[in-house]
Amino acid sequence: NLRYNLHRLQSPTTKIVMILHDEIVLDVMSSDVARAAQLLREVMSVAVSRSIPPLPVRIKSGKNWAQLKEIDF
């Protein structure tokens, strides 16, 4: 459960804003973006590893939709 795993960040300000089809929008403080992105990748990779063919997990970060940039790991 993503909501449960977000508690592992120990960041009370990290919140799920919206889940729409295959996208999850989080509100995360800039200081927590790297940790939240890593956790999200771990959680979603397990979820999509059960699908055939495997689905890619892409994570983007930005202050608004226009400024989103993909995070590379």
Side-chain angles (χ1 to χ4, degrees):
N1 180 320
L2 180 59
R3 204 175 300 272
Y4 169 77
N5 281 293
L6 285 175
H7 289 289
R8 288 178 26 203
L9 289 176
Q10 298 178 343
S11 173
T13 58
T14 299
K15 294 182 174 54
I16 297 174
V17 174
M18 172 178 32
I19 299 175
L20 181 65
H21 303 291
D22 62 345
E23 297 194 18
I24 300 171
V25 178
L26 301 177
D27 184 15
V28 181
M29 290 184 63
S30 58
S31 59
D32 292 331
V33 168
R35 290 185 323 152
Q38 184 61 39
L39 178 63
L40 186 60
R41 179 174 292 282
E42 290 172 17
V43 170
M44 295 308 296
S45 293
V46 169
V48 298
S49 69
R50 298 182 185 124
S51 67
I52 299 173
L55 301 173
V57 176
R58 293 189 338 233
I59 299 176
K60 296 180 181 181
S61 174
K63 290 187 181 255
N64 57 51
W65 289 101
Q67 295 178 349
L68 289 178
K69 297 205 185 310
E70 193 155 348
I71 297 176
D72 295 319
F73 289 93

